Amino acid sequence: MTQSSKFTFGKLSVYLIVILLALIWLVPTLGLFVSSFRPGDEVLSNGWWTILANPGEANLTLDNYKIVLGIGLEELGGTVRGGDINIFKAVLNSLTVTIPAVIIPILIAAFAAYGFAWIKFPGRKPLFIMVVALLVVPLQIALIPILKDYIKIDLNGTFLGVWLAHTGFGLVLATYLLYNYISGLPRDILESAFLDGASHFTIFQRLILPLSMPALASFAIFQFIWVWNDLLVALVFMNANPTNEVLTQKLLGMLGTFGTDWHLLTSGAFISMIIPLVVFFSLQRYFVRGLLAGSVKG
Amino acid sequence: MTAIDEVKNPETLWERFTANIVRILISIAIPTITFIILRAIFIFLRDTDAPTWLTAIVAIIWGVGGVALLYVIANYIVDQFSDKWKARLIPFIFIGPAVAILFYFLALPTLRSFYLSLLDRTGSFVWFKNYAFVFTNKTMLEAFKNNLYWLIFGTGMSVGFGLIIAVLADRVHPALENLVKSIVFMPYAISMIGASVIWRFVYDFRPVGAEQIGLLNAIIVGLGGEPQAWLIQGPWNTFFLIIILVWLQTGYSMVILSAAIKGMPRELMEAARIDGATEVQVFFRITIPYIAGTLVTVTTTVVIFTLKIFDIVKGMTGGNFGTEVIANQQVTQMFDFGDFGRGSAIAIVLLILVIPVMYYNLRNFSEQTEAF
């Protein structure tokens, strides 16, 4: 008896601790979410949790979202503070940076992974050792030399420049992960294709790409979240051209204006979070699989 | 056209000659035309006044399509060669672009940054003066000290909490387990700048008497304490910034460690429990040794991530109030002071700090892959 009641008590405390930890993790995001629907003056005058006391009388509004997205500013009239913040363009810029910065390295890495895994050629091993060595090299090392080159050839502040930079920095992990996956594909499928006279290019297109979809997807999610959330690369290579400014840069700029436009900061931050969160929750399984594959390495 | 076809259909010398000329011309013309088109679109994109969404779509198609096109064209060109040459050239097409990009964007910059780190801001050679700055300047020393705190507490706490949550969540109802893990993992998808905004509402400080809008101070005041300026008072402010990293990164450790724990044979733990081991003993004597390898991997990954921490400090304090870190100081040296020499020296120091991990990876690789 005592054994079982002790066990139940232990079980109960495990449940309590787990729920408590989950709440602690959730509350900060919840605070931002609630705040983003509150009028600007209220955000600054009392805590977001005060509306939880009597939710019926809470004063909620979509104005913060309208203002940062630049929608229906006329009807809000002269009361708009910080009305010139149009985050919509930054959202588009972030998408423009992110989509190619995800697809280009995956494509290049898939080719390379296939080459390393299934084509024998002199120099294969030393080149792959270079890939392994570069896995942990901090991208900080590249910022200054690459920026100097970009300035010289007019790539500074262009989408192309940022894509190439993200490609360069994401390619190591992409090649390594995809190599692990592609080299593990069953040998006989590929060999029968070779015997049928298929070229490497055909095999890559018809067999490798479709078979590697799970690995490609998991890296795609990883790279998407990474690039979308990146500040450093954008700050270094996009700084010269404010029209191409991405969301994280925009938010950093808004953070700089201490104290005044907090209500806009909340909706802006939430807009910046919504896309990666949707990607994250809808594709979580692939994402976790990719993380696990990546963690097999040292 | 393979060699076998040629034997079957003998051609005159003249026909073969002209065919080759045509091939060569096409091989040159197609890439040239492609290049001209891609370049024209690039210039259009650079100088256009078209609406953003249009530019965005054109840019995306151009970037992605351009790369795919380059591969197709390269393959087409190689197809024009004899089988012997094809076999020699194919590897270059497959791995060439990746190797070239990695070489230019990561390998070569290590040498270039080292060279740049020996120059001052006017470009004259000053030997190791920048390194002397890095290791003696007051702000830099503060950054090193703070990075050490980040490494110890940031890594320790995110791996520690990750482990605790992974172990505890394993013992609750699967539905709750999934919910809790999703909640803890969620911040991993949030940018550090987004997190900075979120935590502003936790750490905000208003003077005594004013209504607190920061959660932490509201709790302190509610309990009868005095509100604190969490982000301004050193040395604890760095600690409060570290909490943000822990909040972001714990999910990662949790997911990996949870998978490792799920992979443990259940009988092992059951047997220990039947033999009278307490849960704490099972945890330290069985779970921990069993997942030790994964624990090392996760810790290394978080250490490398934490070493380069930048966005949180930039977003929360800008490196003020004694919270400076190495990576932020590099950006400050680059942009605020225009000193590429010092910036490069800091980058080299970061590189040196990861060399042990690089060595470990390489040793692992050569052990695992004798047959490579």
Side-chain angles (χ1 to χ4, degrees):
Chain A
M1 269 315 270
T2 46
Q3 188 69 29
S4 100
S5 69
K6 223 169 120 190
F7 176 74
T8 327
F9 176 73
K11 193 110 183 154
L12 185 70
S13 50
V14 168
Y15 269 82
L16 285 178
I17 295 171
V18 165
I19 291 171
L20 182 71
L21 283 170
L23 279 179
I24 293 174
W25 247 264
L26 189 61
V27 162
T29 319
L30 189 71
L32 179 82
F33 184 66
V34 171
S35 300
S36 69
F37 294 103
R38 303 183 72 212
D41 45 343
E42 288 190 24
V43 168
L44 283 177
S45 60
N46 50 40
W48 57 268
W49 54 89
T50 50
I51 74 154
L52 300 179
N54 45 2
E57 290 165 34
N59 204 351
L60 297 178
T61 168
L62 282 174
D63 286 357
N64 299 338
Y65 286 92
K66 285 184 184 161
I67 297 170
V68 291
L69 289 172
I71 302 167
L73 287 180
E74 305 79 27
E75 54 184 278
L76 292 171
T79 59
V80 177
R81 249 189 306 156
D84 56 336
I85 297 172
N86 187 353
I87 225 172
F88 189 66
K89 196 170 157 52
V91 173
L92 278 177
N93 286 338
S94 273
L95 278 173
T96 311
V97 162
T98 308
I99 294 172
V102 169
I103 299 174
I104 295 173
I106 289 186
L107 193 66
I108 296 176
F111 270 99
Y114 174 79
F116 279 123
W118 296 99
I119 307 177
K120 297 256 180 262
F121 58 91
R124 195 170 72 112
K125 191 167 182 180
L127 287 176
F128 198 74
I129 285 175
M130 176 180 99
V131 173
V132 175
L134 291 177
L135 270 175
V136 292
V137 166
L139 67 87
Q140 272 85 354
I141 202 83
L143 298 178
I144 293 173
I146 305 294
L147 180 65
K148 283 184 100 131
D149 290 354
Y150 276 12
I151 292 171
K152 228 175 275 169
I153 58 173
D154 253 356
L155 267 184
N156 195 22
T158 64
F159 287 120
L160 178 64
V162 177
W163 293 338
L164 288 174
H166 277 302
T167 301
F169 303 143
L171 200 57
V172 206
L173 188 64
T175 308
Y176 187 80
L177 288 182
L178 294 179
Y179 168 81
N180 282 346
Y181 189 87
I182 290 175
S183 64
L185 290 174
R187 178 164 284 274
D188 34 335
I189 300 180
L190 288 147
E191 269 168 3
S192 58
F194 277 127
L195 288 178
D196 290 344
S199 71
H200 281 299
F201 206 74
T202 320
I203 291 176
F204 178 77
Q205 232 181 328
R206 303 267 166 80
L207 275 177
I208 300 294
L209 282 186
L211 284 175
S212 311
M213 268 311 156
L216 299 178
S218 62
F219 180 77
I221 302 160
F222 184 80
Q223 176 82 352
F224 182 91
I225 290 177
W226 207 92
V227 174
W228 183 271
N229 288 340
D230 160 78
L231 174 68
L232 184 57
V233 172
L235 213 52
V236 172
F237 298 117
M238 228 27 146
N239 212 24
N241 189 355
T243 46
N244 288 355
E245 195 177 57
V246 297
L247 259 175
T248 45
Q249 281 174 286
K250 190 93 188 172
L251 278 180
L252 181 67
M254 289 165 75
L255 268 169
T257 58
F258 250 101
T260 53
D261 294 328
W262 280 45
H263 56 303
L264 302 183
L265 206 49
T266 58
S267 52
F270 207 78
I271 289 168
S272 83
M273 285 158 47
I274 199 75
I275 292 180
L277 283 177
V278 166
V279 170
F280 176 79
F281 278 118
S282 53
L283 301 166
Q284 199 174 4
R285 193 178 309 161
Y286 284 108
F287 186 51
V288 168
R289 205 182 293 166
L291 279 185
L292 292 177
S295 75
V296 178
K297 71 168 207 289
Chain B
M1 273 281 181
T2 63
I4 300 168
D5 290 328
E6 283 172 30
V7 176
K8 279 181 191 159
N9 315 310
E11 303 159 83
T12 64
L13 200 62
W14 173 247
E15 272 170 345
R16 284 177 67 174
F17 178 71
T18 47
N20 274 331
I21 294 285
V22 170
R23 274 184 200 168
I24 291 169
L25 285 179
I26 291 175
S27 306
I28 296 170
I30 289 184
T32 314
I33 293 168
T34 318
F35 179 75
I36 290 169
I37 294 173
L38 289 178
R39 194 184 143 78
I41 301 176
F42 171 66
I43 289 170
F44 163 76
L45 285 172
R46 200 181 56 188
D47 306 334
T48 182
D49 293 323
T52 315
W53 63 269
L54 184 69
T55 324
I57 291 173
V58 174
I60 289 168
I61 295 172
W62 174 76
V64 174
V67 173
L69 206 61
L70 290 179
Y71 274 105
V72 173
I73 288 169
N75 183 57
Y76 173 82
I77 294 172
V78 169
D79 260 348
Q80 308 307 309
F81 286 91
S82 69
D83 277 359
K84 197 173 131 195
W85 274 95
K86 225 194 260 187
R88 282 184 195 157
L89 290 174
I90 276 282
F92 285 100
I93 294 186
F94 274 85
I95 67 146
V99 167
I101 290 174
L102 286 182
F103 183 75
Y104 172 71
F105 276 97
L106 282 176
L108 190 60
T110 56
L111 300 176
R112 295 179 64 191
S113 281
F114 178 68
Y115 173 71
L116 289 171
S117 74
L118 305 178
L119 308 179
D120 70 2
R121 38 190 304 193
T122 60
S124 30
F125 201 78
V126 292
W127 286 101
F128 292 96
K129 238 180 176 169
N130 291 323
Y131 291 91
F133 167 84
V134 166
F135 292 112
T136 56
N137 176 270
K138 198 166 146 273
T139 314
M140 276 310 299
L141 293 179
E142 174 194 297
F144 279 117
K145 191 188 72 193
N146 286 336
N147 261 84
L148 194 64
Y149 290 149
W150 280 89
L151 282 184
I152 295 171
F153 296 111
T155 312
M157 285 168 72
S158 47
V159 176
F161 273 116
L163 183 61
I164 290 171
I165 297 172
V167 169
L168 292 182
D170 194 39
R171 290 150 179 247
V172 299
H173 189 275
L176 180 65
E177 175 181 5
N178 282 337
L179 179 69
V180 167
K181 279 158 85 175
S182 287
I183 289 174
V184 176
F185 195 25
M186 182 188 70
Y188 195 74
I190 296 175
S191 69
M192 290 194 250
I193 285 297
S196 300
V197 177
I198 290 176
W199 284 81
R200 278 261 164 116
F201 284 86
V202 176
Y203 290 148
D204 181 65
F205 163 71
R206 301 283 145 117
V208 189
E211 184 159 0
Q212 299 295 329
I213 67 165
L215 184 61
L216 198 52
N217 272 328
I219 293 173
I220 299 280
V221 172
L223 294 174
E226 288 231 329
Q228 305 291 319
W230 308 107
L231 297 178
I232 295 173
Q233 295 158 355
W236 288 102
N237 50 3
T238 288
F239 183 77
F240 290 111
L241 296 183
I242 293 175
I243 296 288
I244 304 177
L245 174 93
V246 174
W247 180 74
L248 284 168
Q249 281 288 309
T250 295
Y252 167 78
S253 312
M254 178 202 67
V255 163
I256 309 275
L257 294 172
S258 176
I261 289 169
K262 299 255 180 242
M264 287 175 64
R266 294 277 138 170
E267 311 86 64
L268 200 65
M269 298 157 94
E270 288 309 318
R273 285 187 190 124
I274 289 167
D275 287 348
T278 63
E279 289 304 311
V280 176
Q281 280 172 330
V282 170
F283 178 74
F284 282 107
R285 303 264 176 86
I286 298 177
T287 309
I288 295 281
Y290 195 88
I291 61 167
T294 315
L295 216 49
V296 170
T297 309
V298 168
T299 309
T300 318
T301 311
V302 179
V303 160
I304 290 179
F305 182 84
T306 310
L307 187 67
K308 300 181 284 188
I309 197 76
F310 155 74
D311 318 34
I312 295 176
V313 175
K314 182 90 181 164
M316 294 299 283
T317 62
N320 295 309
F321 320 123
T323 56
E324 189 61 292
V325 288
I326 305 175
N328 190 49
Q329 185 57 210
Q330 188 205 12
V331 175
T332 307
Q333 289 294 342
M334 271 173 83
F335 286 119
D336 298 356
F337 303 130
D339 197 326
F340 282 8
R342 286 177 180 176
S344 301
I346 296 171
I348 292 291
V349 171
L350 278 176
L351 178 70
I352 291 170
L353 291 174
V354 301
I355 281 180
V357 184
M358 192 193 286
Y359 172 77
Y360 173 83
N361 275 352
L362 285 173
R363 213 191 49 187
N364 248 10
F365 173 74
S366 58
E367 273 171 14
Q368 282 166 10
T369 48
E370 287 301 319
F372 188 86

